[in-house]
């Protein structure tokens, strides 16, 4: 089979047999691909230090139904400034784990690929801010078809004008005040900021206030976990570094 040359972000790696590694890649051209990198633990020549989580690579890969074969990998960037900062490492690790858990195999999703690369570039070039994490998550869910409806109650369907009282359901969906009596409130300001985050395709353009960050966090964490059967490993690390 002819190998394809792809641009990729490393989502995860694990050691395999004596000298190989299994690498999960999010490729721009082929979507999520899991492949064996033969000799990766020993041969610095073919893979160098390329096969690290959230490294941006140009790879040569023979894509197969089950396990693909990664022939070579050249580094585009390893995002060196992310790797110097524990909070940035935590959030980049969270982003690639999220992608690994949500993405189907072998389905190219170029918009999502661009979003992930843009987030890593943002983390690499700017100080970490929680607004960027929430911006990433809102757009991530949207591109995958899980857009959070901000202007309509998820339970009764009533329209919610900009100033309406909103509540957050346990499933990370927005409800009207009547349907979501027990839920945490979602202020009009937070709904507006989330709406802007979905309308502007640029990191740094939407800055959440501390209270809207808290609300957006409850909403987005709930929406993400509603789609997952078990929690993300990176979350416990993020909680740890946030507590410090
Ligand atoms: Zn309702």
């Amino acid at each position: 089979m002819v190998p394809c040359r792809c641009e990729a972000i490393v989502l995860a790696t694990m050691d395999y047999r004596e000298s190989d590694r299994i690498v999960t890649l999010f490729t721009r051209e082929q979507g999520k691909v899991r492949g064996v990198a033969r000799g990766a633990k020993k041969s610095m020549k073919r893979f160098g230090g390329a096969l690290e989580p959230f490294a941006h690579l140009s790879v040569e890969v023979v894509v197969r139904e089950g396990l693909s074969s990664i022939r070579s990998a050249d580094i585009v960037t390893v995002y060196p400034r992310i790797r110097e900062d524990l909070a940035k490492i935590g959030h980049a690790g969270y982003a690639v784990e999220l992608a690994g858990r949500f993405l189907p195999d072998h389905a190219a999703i170029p918009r999502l690929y661009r979003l992930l690369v843009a987030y890593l570039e943002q983390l690499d070039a700017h100080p970490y801010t929680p607004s960027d994490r929430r911006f990433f998550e809102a757009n991530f869910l949207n591109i995958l078809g899980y857009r959070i409806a901000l202007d309509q109650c998820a339970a009764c369907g009533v329209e919610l004008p900009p100033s309406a009282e909103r509540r957050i359901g346990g499933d990370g969906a927005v409800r009207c005040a009547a349907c979501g009596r027990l839920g945490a409130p979602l202020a009009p300001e937070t709904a507006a900021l989330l709406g802007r985050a979905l309308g502007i395709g640029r990191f740094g353009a939407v800055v959440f206030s501390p209270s809207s960050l808290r609300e957006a966090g409850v909403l987005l964490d709930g929406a993400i976990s509603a789609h997952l059967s078990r929690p993300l490993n990176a979350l416990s690390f993020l909680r740890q570094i946030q507590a410090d």
Side-chain angles (χ1 to χ4, degrees), residues 18-19 39-45:
E18 193 150 321
S19 57
K41 274 161 70 187
K42 285 185 181 151
S43 156
M44 286 301 281
K45 211 170 99 203

Short mmCIF file of all heavy atoms in Angstrom, two decimals, residues 18-19 39-45:
data_model
loop_
_atom_site.label_atom_id
_atom_site.label_comp_id
_atom_site.label_asym_id
_atom_site.label_seq_id
_atom_site.Cartn_x
_atom_site.Cartn_y
_atom_site.Cartn_z
N GLU A 18 8.71 -4.76 22.51
CA GLU A 18 9.99 -4.33 23.06
C GLU A 18 10.43 -2.94 22.59
O GLU A 18 10.92 -2.14 23.37
CB GLU A 18 11.06 -5.35 22.68
CG GLU A 18 12.33 -5.16 23.47
CD GLU A 18 13.04 -6.49 23.65
OE1 GLU A 18 12.38 -7.51 23.88
OE2 GLU A 18 14.27 -6.48 23.52
N SER A 19 10.19 -2.68 21.30
CA SER A 19 10.80 -1.45 20.78
C SER A 19 9.83 -0.56 20.01
O SER A 19 10.22 0.44 19.44
CB SER A 19 11.97 -1.83 19.85
OG SER A 19 11.48 -2.67 18.83
N GLY A 39 10.07 0.30 16.02
CA GLY A 39 11.41 0.71 16.45
C GLY A 39 11.46 2.10 17.06
O GLY A 39 12.53 2.65 17.27
N ALA A 40 10.27 2.65 17.36
CA ALA A 40 10.26 4.05 17.83
C ALA A 40 10.96 4.24 19.15
O ALA A 40 11.46 5.32 19.46
CB ALA A 40 8.83 4.56 17.92
N LYS A 41 11.00 3.18 19.97
CA LYS A 41 11.65 3.33 21.26
C LYS A 41 13.17 3.31 21.12
O LYS A 41 13.88 3.77 22.00
CB LYS A 41 11.20 2.22 22.22
CG LYS A 41 9.91 2.59 22.94
CD LYS A 41 9.21 1.41 23.52
CE LYS A 41 9.94 0.80 24.70
NZ LYS A 41 9.27 -0.46 25.12
N LYS A 42 13.65 2.75 19.99
CA LYS A 42 15.10 2.63 19.83
C LYS A 42 15.65 3.55 18.75
O LYS A 42 16.66 4.20 18.95
CB LYS A 42 15.47 1.17 19.51
CG LYS A 42 15.37 0.29 20.74
CD LYS A 42 15.85 -1.11 20.44
CE LYS A 42 15.71 -1.99 21.68
NZ LYS A 42 15.50 -3.39 21.31
N SER A 43 14.97 3.56 17.58
CA SER A 43 15.53 4.30 16.46
C SER A 43 15.22 5.78 16.57
O SER A 43 14.10 6.23 16.38
CB SER A 43 14.97 3.76 15.14
OG SER A 43 15.03 4.76 14.17
N MET A 44 16.25 6.55 16.88
CA MET A 44 16.06 8.00 16.92
C MET A 44 16.03 8.55 15.51
O MET A 44 15.58 9.68 15.27
CB MET A 44 17.20 8.65 17.71
CG MET A 44 17.12 8.44 19.22
SD MET A 44 15.60 9.10 19.95
CE MET A 44 16.02 10.86 20.01
N LYS A 45 16.51 7.75 14.55
CA LYS A 45 16.67 8.26 13.19
C LYS A 45 15.32 8.56 12.55
O LYS A 45 15.10 9.60 11.97
CB LYS A 45 17.45 7.24 12.36
CG LYS A 45 18.30 7.89 11.27
CD LYS A 45 19.25 6.90 10.62
CE LYS A 45 18.68 6.41 9.31
NZ LYS A 45 19.22 5.13 8.89
#
